[in-house]
Amino acid sequence: MELSATAGLLYNFAVVSEPDSDVALMLGVQAGDEACFERLLARYRTPLLTFLYRMVRDAQLAEDLAQETFLRVYRARGEYRPEAKFSTWLFRIAANLALNALRDHHRRSRWMDRTTELAPTAEISDGAPSAEQVLIRQDHARLVWQAVHSLPEKQRLAVLLHKYEELEYAEIARILGCSESALKSLLFRAYETLRVRLAPLLNGSPAHRTEKERR
Amino acid sequence: MSCQELLDELLGYVDGRLPEAERAAVASHLAQCAACAHRLAEIRRVWELLDQLPELAPSPAFHARLRLRQQASWSFGDWLRQWLRPAAAVAAAAALACWISLRLPPRPSAALPVSPGEPSSQDFLVVKDLPVLENYDVLVNFDALTALPGAQSAAQEPVE
């Protein structure tokens, strides 16, 4: 596969300066190096899978979508340009796949029935919690899970990318295909909805202190 | 900064993406406005609660299934490249080995060592011709041999 002159220069620069960077690895994939694809896969497999799981709330579907995302990256490797940030490209493909899957009415009816399902939560180790604390934490996790899934799909997508993927506003806007100001407006509405829906969990929390108290 | 302007910047303040100058303006407003400080605390709590969403690890079959789907989508060129790469590596290694062996100086007589007690091929020739050498004088002066046709010249040539 032929690289353009610019891509070749950028590749050389990326390989020399940061041989393990996403750009260097993706250009390695473009040049036919399977090991580079394996390393990108190892790097993004779990974050991508988790993002898709939180988006579609179905582990099997999330895994299918994650595989489809990586396959599309592999098939479209010739179209990748080093000017584009790899993670933005990857999550854009994943976001489109997730939105399409969610719009599938059959799928929607399947996971809408699962609103009472308690998802496995990442336990925070802070000593040995009592049985009551565990129950409270699980109950909180269930409420948060439901609150996030009550958001409109695009708002949920924006919140998940904003909260977990450490992407800049401009990158999230590119993934969603909107302007930065439209994204900020979308996020504002989403967090306001979450604030209202999670109101029972907000009082008496560690974060529920004024700035004066923090100082 | 008004309360409405602060609301627009509140999320950036919580997530740490707000530039330093605007951050200072937000902090200044929050120090004077209890309502906005309360709103900030609530948004911050929402931010923390979102940490409770579950993660998902890949299933044990994830990689194998992806590999199968990837190979199913391979073009002929991909297959060719996949199989040619190991073959090319072996050929390159063999070529390198040949080149190195040609570049190395020849080792001192790699032939079988000859012990003093074992005859060489030259020794065998000498032993075979020994009767001729022993009787060289007799044979040179043997008149009957000179009578043979063509023997005159042969007799005059030195025996090797």
Side-chain angles (χ1 to χ4, degrees):
Chain A
M1 203 167 294
E2 290 295 325
L3 293 177
S4 70
T6 313
L9 282 173
L10 282 166
Y11 174 60
N12 289 334
F13 177 74
V15 168
V16 170
S17 59
E18 286 184 85
D20 203 37
S21 69
D22 290 351
V23 171
L25 290 177
M26 193 54 215
L27 288 166
V29 176
Q30 207 169 48
D33 188 343
E34 291 291 320
C36 289
F37 185 69
E38 295 294 324
R39 286 166 74 184
L40 280 173
L41 189 63
R43 184 174 296 173
Y44 283 102
R45 186 175 46 200
T46 301
L48 188 77
L49 190 56
T50 296
F51 162 71
L52 286 164
Y53 178 49
R54 288 167 173 169
M55 193 65 202
V56 301
R57 209 175 169 184
D58 179 325
Q60 185 55 55
L61 177 59
E63 191 152 304
D64 287 346
L65 293 175
Q67 292 192 344
E68 184 61 28
T69 305
F70 282 116
L71 277 177
R72 291 197 183 194
V73 165
Y74 186 78
R75 286 187 203 128
R77 61 196 184 279
E79 296 159 26
Y80 175 73
R81 292 292 167 262
E83 297 85 358
K85 194 174 174 186
F86 174 75
S87 58
T88 308
W89 187 47
L90 181 76
F91 278 96
R92 183 168 193 161
I93 295 172
N96 286 334
L97 285 171
L99 287 175
N100 287 340
L102 289 171
R103 282 166 193 156
D104 180 329
H105 196 71
H106 176 65
R107 296 277 192 195
R108 181 192 289 265
S109 61
R110 264 183 65 196
W111 57 256
M112 283 294 279
D113 291 335
R114 299 182 180 188
T115 48
T116 54
E117 175 190 326
L118 182 59
T121 56
E123 287 293 334
I124 302 160
S125 174
D126 54 358
S130 67
E132 189 186 12
Q133 284 174 317
V134 170
L135 284 175
I136 290 170
R137 191 174 290 169
Q138 286 183 346
D139 193 47
H140 285 191
R142 184 176 55 79
L143 287 174
V144 174
W145 190 231
Q146 287 178 354
V148 169
H149 275 268
S150 68
L151 293 173
E153 287 158 5
K154 208 161 180 181
Q155 285 187 24
R156 192 186 327 152
L157 193 57
V159 167
L160 292 177
L161 290 169
H162 171 249
K163 166 66 182 165
Y164 302 103
E165 306 308 329
E166 296 178 355
L167 298 169
E168 297 299 324
Y169 286 125
E171 290 168 335
I172 301 171
R174 265 199 294 277
I175 290 171
L176 294 180
C178 64
S179 68
E180 213 172 310
S181 59
L183 169 71
K184 284 182 179 176
S185 169
L186 196 69
L187 283 171
F188 178 80
R189 292 200 304 276
Y191 279 94
E192 277 301 296
T193 305
L194 291 175
R195 187 178 69 83
V196 172
R197 296 238 164 98
L198 296 173
L201 309 181
L202 300 183
N203 292 325
S205 66
H208 206 78
R209 287 179 290 168
T210 64
E211 281 300 294
K212 277 180 184 171
E213 287 170 332
R214 282 177 182 279
R215 284 194 295 271
Chain B
M1 178 178 274
S2 68
C3 291
Q4 184 55 50
E5 286 170 335
L6 180 124
L7 283 181
D8 293 341
E9 305 294 353
L10 206 53
L11 198 54
Y13 187 79
V14 171
D15 67 23
R17 290 171 168 95
L18 203 63
E20 194 52 45
E22 292 167 47
R23 197 172 179 78
V26 170
S28 169
H29 179 95
L30 288 169
Q32 301 160 15
C33 180
C36 287
H38 182 76
R39 177 66 71 88
L40 169 73
E42 288 185 332
I43 293 293
R44 210 189 282 275
R45 176 64 177 150
V46 169
W47 182 260
E48 289 170 0
L49 283 169
L50 286 175
D51 287 331
Q52 298 190 18
L53 284 192
E55 292 188 352
L56 183 64
S59 71
F62 182 90
H63 197 267
R65 283 181 58 217
L66 177 62
R67 195 72 185 154
L68 282 176
R69 291 177 70 180
Q70 186 186 356
Q71 289 181 356
S73 73
W74 272 0
S75 64
F76 178 70
D78 292 326
W79 277 108
L80 204 60
R81 197 163 33 240
Q82 175 74 5
W83 288 107
L84 283 181
R85 187 174 289 116
V90 170
L96 184 66
C98 286
W99 183 79
I100 289 172
S101 67
L102 289 173
R103 298 282 297 177
L104 287 174
R107 294 173 61 189
S109 184
L112 289 173
V114 180
S115 64
E118 293 178 20
S120 69
S121 57
Q122 203 168 6
D123 291 338
F124 278 118
L125 283 176
V126 171
V127 169
K128 194 181 80 178
D129 295 337
L130 203 56
V132 179
L133 291 171
E134 283 173 349
N135 299 306
Y136 179 73
D137 292 337
V138 176
L139 289 169
V140 167
N141 299 315
F142 193 52
D143 293 338
L145 289 176
T146 58
L148 292 173
Q152 187 68 36
S153 59
Q156 287 173 355
E157 288 176 6
V159 176
E160 293 181 6

